[in-house]
Amino acid sequence: MQTDAVTKERAWRTHEELPLNRENFEALCRFDLPCLRITGFATDSECEELVAAMDAVGLHKTYKVPGLKQPPRYVGLTQFEKRQASKDDYFAEVDQAWHEHEAVISKMPWNPFERMWKLIRELYPECTLTLAEEPGYGRYYAGIIRDTTGGGTLHADVTMYSARDYIISQVVNQITWNFFATHVDGDGGKTTIHNRPYRVETKPGDKVEIEGFNRSYVDGAETHIYAPAKGDVVMFNSHNPHEWTAVDEGQRRMGVSSYIGRMPDGNFIYWS
Ligand SMILES: [Fe+2]
C-alpha cells in the first residue's frame, strides 16, 4: 500500500502560498499545491469581534484526541467526531449545534462563513455551493468555531474512510479552510502538511482510522509548514495528513473552519 502511495506521489509545484483563484483551487484539488492563503480575509477589528463572541459564549465541547493535553475546544458539531457512533446520533445533534453557532455569530457584525461561501460562489458562478444534506436525515452541521491553542495530532480528513455511509463520502475533492483570528508568533502554532494523500487498501466494509495511524505513513514525504496569521484564511487538501504544534505560552490560536467538497457533478457542498 505504502510503496504504491510513494511511487504515485508528485512534488508540489511550488511552496509559495498562492492566492485563491480558480486555477489555484483546481491545483489544490489535484494535490499540486500545499495550500492557498487568502491574506486579509478579515480586518483586525473583525478578528477581535470573533474572539470576543467566542469568549462571551464559551467553547464548551472538546475534540476526543488521545494523547493531547489540551485538545481543541469548539462550538458546533463535526461528523468525524461521530464516526464511531451511528448516523442517527450525528443527525440528532445537528439542530443544537446550529443554535450554538447562531449564539456566536449573532454577537458579531459579520459572518466568516458567509464571506467564504461568497468567495467560492464568485469563483464558480456556474456551480452551486450548498450546505450538505443527507437523504432521509436532513441538513448537516457546518462551521466549527474553535480554539486550537493546544496543537493537533497527525491525521487526515478523508470522508471515504470516516463517513462511508454518508453522502459526503461521495466528494471527489475535500478542501479544508481555516480562518485565524488571533496573532500567533514564535515557533508554536504552525501546521505541517505532508504531501502524501492518505490512501489505504481496504476490503468493502472495512473501517479505516483517519487519526492515530502510524507515523511511518508520512516518512520521507515532502512537507510544507504554514504559520497562522491574524485575518488570513489558509486552505489545503485535507486528504494530505496534517498536524500542528501548540502555541507558545500566553498565546491563543482561535478561528473557524469547515470542509468544502466537490461532488461528481461539479457542484460544491460544505459541512464540518
Ligand atoms: Fe484536519
Side-chain angles (χ1 to χ4, degrees), residues 29-223:
C29 291
R30 288 193 309 265
F31 302 101
D32 283 344
L33 293 172
C35 64
L36 306 181
R37 184 180 290 265
I38 309 173
T39 306
F41 177 83
T43 64
D44 272 6
S45 56
E46 287 172 332
C47 289
E48 283 139 30
E49 285 156 4
L50 172 62
V51 174
M54 290 164 86
D55 285 341
V57 172
L59 308 177
H60 64 292
K61 292 177 176 165
T62 304
Y63 283 180
K64 298 187 268 299
V65 188
L68 207 58
K69 254 189 283 166
Q70 194 190 336
R73 292 185 305 117
Y74 67 101
V75 155
L77 177 65
T78 66
Q79 185 277 329
F80 63 80
E81 282 278 298
K82 289 277 172 197
R83 65 188 184 275
Q84 316 289 12
S86 73
K87 222 161 146 175
D88 289 307
D89 288 333
Y90 168 75
F91 285 99
E93 290 184 30
V94 166
D95 284 349
Q96 175 57 30
W98 278 110
H99 286 305
E100 295 166 5
H101 175 100
E102 212 29 60
V104 178
I105 297 297
S106 65
K107 290 192 156 45
M108 298 167 56
W110 70 291
N111 182 323
F113 301 100
E114 290 304 329
R115 187 169 293 180
M116 189 69 219
W117 311 147
K118 186 164 178 277
L119 290 180
I120 299 293
R121 287 180 182 127
E122 283 168 359
L123 218 51
Y124 290 91
E126 78 282 22
C127 300
T128 59
L129 172 111
T130 51
L131 175 62
E133 245 190 82
E134 189 74 12
Y137 288 86
R139 64 178 179 167
Y140 281 69
Y141 178 76
I144 295 297
I145 300 168
R146 64 185 184 179
D147 177 334
T148 52
T149 296
T153 53
L154 184 68
H155 70 281
D157 302 294
V158 185
T159 51
M160 64 184 172
Y161 297 142
S162 63
R164 277 187 190 286
D165 53 341
Y166 293 70
I167 196 102
I168 53 172
S169 67
Q170 293 177 18
V171 297
V172 287
N173 308 115
Q174 187 175 352
I175 303 298
T176 179
W177 62 280
N178 296 273
F179 165 63
F180 298 101
T182 47
H183 177 67
V184 173
D185 59 17
D187 288 334
K190 296 191 170 80
T191 299
T192 301
I193 305 166
H194 301 265
N195 185 6
R196 185 163 294 159
Y198 190 56
R199 297 289 181 266
V200 179
E201 266 182 27
T202 58
K203 293 189 282 298
D206 274 2
K207 284 224 167 190
V208 177
E209 254 317 321
I210 55 163
E211 175 182 65
F213 53 80
N214 199 305
R215 262 209 98 71
S216 65
Y217 186 81
V218 295
D219 276 353
E222 181 182 15
T223 58

Side-chain angles (χ1 to χ4, degrees), residues 155 157 236 242 244 259:
H155 70 281
D157 302 294
F236 61 90
H242 48 281
W244 68 96
Y259 303 110

